[in-house]
Each structure stands twice: as C-alpha cells, then as structure tokens.
Amino acid sequence: MITLYIVAILILLLLSAAFSGSETAVTATGRARATALAQGGNRRAGTLLSLLNDRERLISTLLLGNNIVNIMAAALATDVLLRLFGNAGVVYATAVMTLLIVIFSEVVPKTVALRHHDTLALAIAGPLRVLVVLFRPFTTAIGWVVRLVLRGLRIPTHGGDVISASQQLRGLIDAFEAGGELAKHAGDMLDGVLDLEHVTVDEVMTHRRRVTALDASMTIEAAVARLRDEPYSRFPVYRGSSDHIVGILHLRDLLTAVADREAGASRTVGEITRDPWFVPETTPLRKQLEQFRKKKQHMAFVVDEYGDLQGLVTLQDVLEAIVGEVSEADDREFDEIERLPDGSLQTSGTTQIRRLNRLLEWDLPEEDAVTLAGLVIDVAERIPLEGETLAIGRYRVTVKKRERNRLSVLTISRAEPDESD
C-alpha cells in the first residue's frame, strides 16, 4: 500500500509540474505571439489563441488543476509518513512535500517553460482546450464566487485590463533591453513609436523665435543672399509682422525664379510662396504624421487655442521623436548645446526637454514643461534671476543670461548618483 501511495505521489507531482509549466508557457507566449503564429497557418496556434482570448477561464483551470494535485499529493504523503513515523510524520510530510513541490513542481518546470515557451504552449494547446471544457462548471462557479466577494469588498469587477497594451509593450521592451536581447537604440525607437499617441506637436516643434522667416516683400535677389548659408529647404514667409505667416517658400521655387532672370529682377518672395498649413499645438504626433502623409507636405505651423503662432513642426521633427536626432553634423540644433570645461552643458532656454533627454540619455521631467526654460520657471514658480542656480532632481541648472523675462542661456549639470541621494 505504501509503495502504491509513493507512486501516486510521484504521478501527482508530475501533473503539478505540467500545470505549472503550462501556465508559464502560455503566459510567456502571449496573445500577440499566438496571433502571429496563427496568421502563419499554425493550427495549434489558433487553438492557443482561442484559449488566450478567454484568459481568465484558462488561468482558473490551470490553477484549479494545480491546487487539486498538490493537495492530493500532500494528503497522501502525510498518510504515508504518519504510518511510518507516527505523529511526527505531519512535520516530515510538510517539509518533504514543500521541498518537492517548490523544486520539481514549480521552479524547474517554470524555468524550462520560460526557455521553450512557444514550443510547449503549442504542444499543450489541444489538451488544455479539453481540460478547460471539463473544468468549465467548476471554473464558472469559482468565477461567480470571486465576483461576489469582490462586490462585497466594493472592488470593481469589470474595470478592464489593469495594465494597458502600451504599458505591457513597454515592459517587454525594457525586459528585452535588460536581458541584452534588444539593443538600446532599437528599444528607444520602439518607445518612440509608442510615444506618438501621447506626445503633442508643441513638444517637438521649433519655437517661433528660432525660425528663419522671410518678409513677403523681399526681392528674389535679397532672399538668395539671406538664405545663402541656411541648411533648410523650406522657409516661412510673413507679411508685416513675423507672427503673420502668409506662406511657405520652397528652395526649389526660389531657384526656379532665379533661373528666370527677367522675372527674378522684379518679383518678390510673396509671389512665389505656397499656402501655409496651420495645426493646433495639442495635435498628437501620430495624427500629425498621418496628416503629413495624407497632404504630402513636410511643414506645418503650430498655433495655440487663440490662433497665435507658436512655432513650426516638420516631418523630420516627428521622425526624430521615433529614431532620435538625425540632423547634419553642422545643424544648428547641435550648436545650441555646448560642453563646458567643468563638464556642464550650456544651452539655450528654448531647448526642448525631450530632445535633451533623448540626446544625452537623461531623465529630466517632461510632464509640465516643453523647454528647459519652461521647466526652470515651473520649478521655481517665478522667473529666476541671472546667476541663480536651481536643483531639479539630480540636475543643477544655472541661469547664465536673462533678457528681460526670458531665460536665454542656461547651464545644466547632472550630479553623480551618490550626490543626489
């Protein structure tokens, strides 16, 4: 009889290992991977996907089965050891079964399942479907009791997924980066794609103070002389005030006008401009990218809720939000950040926090301000004086130059970890 019980205990431990490994395998594979495999024509992946679509019932089935076999194994082991050692057998059974279940029914199968989750998940998809059907009455009853308890505790039962798909993807990206399976630059690009829905154009635009604009009344010759050293191909055109944008000058149109010498001698910039395009500052980058593709344009002017010009956004700005800086080596964007002999950085107050973080791999807060000067003012809750230094987390920012109410030049340095603790 004791021999029979020992054999039964071993079988139950194997079943426990199967349940534990199955739970880890299907969880690690996930719905996205199962969908990709199913679209590739894998029938078992289709079965696995149908199980994952009812994830709550699947997990309930696996947990129910795992607990049943663990309790049965512990009960049989207690009976055997009570016969062999009397009342002390309870203590021995607890110690032995805890060790066996943790090592052979939890750690080992879950480790194996993590390393071969796709293969194992596909292999067990068929048996799991049968098991889910057999256990359906029990899992349904358990689910009803759970919901009843949660309602009694006033905990919402239909709040949807606690973790959004975006958060899950970010978690996977971080995990793959930490494990060395994904290069950091690739992880940054994937994060940038996920950010497109949440980042707005005002966070990546070029502020109007830094925009090179032309007067509509300027002659073609004067425009050529003005733009000789500019690295861009499109320029805003204004009439009267620099905030009154009336068009966009394409370098191609300017060269065409120059080629026609007779026309070029008398025509003005305003005569060869194209219609401007204005977008709200709250437009998400994802929508702006779609609009760039739809309109086949590369530049738009950003306005606030009152219609006042705030700056301009280009297709390159949106792409850089995904892939990082792609500017030329002589681009002025990089000239704004200068490394000083003491190791600190000197930059314009209009430098965007997001670009500074991406370029230097920093973590300055981006929630309440777009530019570095805006962040300093937000933290100080006033306009700091020239020469004043503020602490922003582990960063130290000093106002080097203030022009009236504008912080034009700032220096910033990051303290070592032990200095900021």
Side-chain angles (χ1 to χ4, degrees):
M1 180 65 72
I2 291 178
T3 302
L4 182 62
Y5 277 13
I6 292 175
V7 172
I9 290 170
L10 293 177
I11 293 174
L12 290 170
L13 287 175
L14 287 174
L15 289 173
S16 177
F19 281 117
S20 296
S22 299
E23 180 187 354
T24 300
V26 297
T27 302
T29 299
R31 191 179 302 171
R33 177 60 175 162
T35 301
L37 293 172
Q39 290 175 344
N42 191 311
R43 291 185 178 180
R44 290 182 296 178
T47 301
L48 177 61
L49 183 59
S50 66
L51 292 172
L52 288 171
N53 285 334
D54 193 358
R55 188 186 185 91
E56 183 179 347
R57 188 175 297 277
L58 173 62
I59 298 300
S60 296
T61 298
L62 291 171
L63 291 176
L64 179 61
N66 200 14
N67 279 284
I68 288 174
V69 296
N70 283 344
I71 291 171
M72 290 178 63
L76 290 177
T78 302
D79 187 30
V80 169
L81 293 175
L82 279 173
R83 296 186 184 193
L84 294 175
F85 302 103
N87 291 335
V90 175
V91 178
Y92 297 150
T94 301
V96 170
M97 290 308 298
T98 298
L99 189 64
L100 291 177
I101 289 174
V102 169
I103 294 177
F104 297 105
S105 296
E106 293 291 335
V107 177
V108 171
K110 287 187 175 182
T111 301
V112 173
L114 277 174
R115 295 179 180 177
H116 308 282
H117 54 83
D118 282 359
T119 303
L120 288 176
L122 294 175
I124 62 177
L128 278 182
R129 182 168 60 178
V130 174
L131 202 61
V132 166
V133 173
L134 291 176
F135 279 21
R136 183 178 294 274
F138 304 101
T139 55
T140 300
I142 291 173
W144 181 81
V145 173
V146 168
R147 286 190 290 273
L148 188 64
V149 171
L150 291 176
R151 277 198 292 268
L153 297 173
R154 297 185 178 180
I155 298 175
T157 58
H158 295 91
D161 291 338
V162 175
I163 302 178
S164 67
S166 176
Q167 290 174 312
Q168 293 180 43
L169 287 173
R170 290 185 193 277
L172 287 173
I173 292 169
D174 291 341
F176 283 130
E177 278 191 45
E181 301 174 68
L182 184 68
K184 188 180 186 309
H185 68 86
D188 289 342
M189 289 175 60
L190 293 173
D191 277 330
V193 172
L194 295 176
D195 284 341
L196 290 182
E197 190 64 50
H198 310 289
V199 178
T200 53
V201 294
D202 66 321
E203 297 182 57
V204 301
M205 71 179 184
T206 300
H207 193 271
R208 66 176 185 271
R209 290 182 178 274
R210 295 165 48 208
V211 172
T212 300
L214 303 174
D215 192 323
S217 62
M218 182 180 291
T219 64
I220 298 300
E221 288 83 356
V224 171
R226 173 72 176 79
L227 303 178
R228 189 182 304 276
D229 297 323
E230 293 291 337
Y232 311 113
S233 60
R234 296 171 179 82
F235 302 89
V237 177
Y238 65 90
R239 179 171 284 114
S241 167
S242 60
D243 289 336
H244 182 210
I245 300 297
V246 295
I248 298 175
L249 174 65
H250 283 243
L251 196 58
R252 184 188 307 114
D253 297 333
L254 181 63
L255 294 176
T256 301
V258 170
D260 186 349
R261 294 186 178 181
E262 292 183 4
S266 59
R267 298 179 73 184
T268 62
V269 167
E271 298 178 58
I272 59 172
T273 58
R274 304 186 186 186
D275 292 338
W277 173 25
F278 299 93
V279 298
E281 61 182 352
T282 55
T283 305
L285 292 190
R286 178 195 59 77
K287 183 177 180 180
Q288 187 60 43
L289 181 59
E290 292 174 357
Q291 291 178 340
F292 275 138
R293 293 177 59 188
K294 183 179 179 180
K295 291 179 175 290
K296 301 186 184 302
Q297 295 189 33
H298 292 185
M299 176 187 288
F301 297 99
V302 182
V303 295
D304 63 14
E305 58 184 316
Y306 303 105
D308 295 331
L309 182 69
Q310 300 300 304
L312 63 83
V313 62
T314 65
L315 178 60
Q316 179 175 320
D317 292 328
V318 179
L319 295 179
E320 286 184 347
I322 301 174
V323 303
E325 298 290 345
V326 293
S327 304
E328 299 282 345
D330 60 349
D331 198 321
R332 295 179 183 179
E333 189 69 35
F334 288 91
D335 293 340
E336 290 185 354
I337 302 176
E338 177 185 356
R339 188 170 294 278
L340 302 179
D342 62 359
S344 62
L345 299 177
Q346 180 170 289
T347 184
S348 166
T350 58
T351 300
Q352 295 168 357
I353 302 170
R354 178 180 173 79
R355 288 189 173 180
L356 200 59
N357 283 339
R358 291 291 292 270
L359 185 63
L360 302 173
E361 298 183 5
W362 284 4
D363 55 357
L364 285 163
E366 304 177 24
E367 296 79 13
D368 300 319
V370 174
T371 65
L372 186 58
L375 177 61
V376 170
I377 293 172
D378 181 71
V379 171
E381 298 182 342
R382 56 184 173 80
I383 302 177
L385 300 174
E386 193 168 296
E388 189 171 349
T389 299
L390 290 91
I392 304 176
R394 56 177 173 165
Y395 302 90
R396 300 293 180 271
V397 183
T398 301
V399 179
K400 282 296 183 182
K401 186 176 182 181
R402 171 177 164 175
E403 299 175 355
R404 300 183 66 182
N405 292 327
R406 185 167 68 93
L407 307 182
S408 55
V409 181
L410 303 168
T411 61
I412 181 170
S413 60
R414 183 172 64 173
E416 295 300 323
D418 57 343
E419 295 180 14
S420 61
D421 290 340

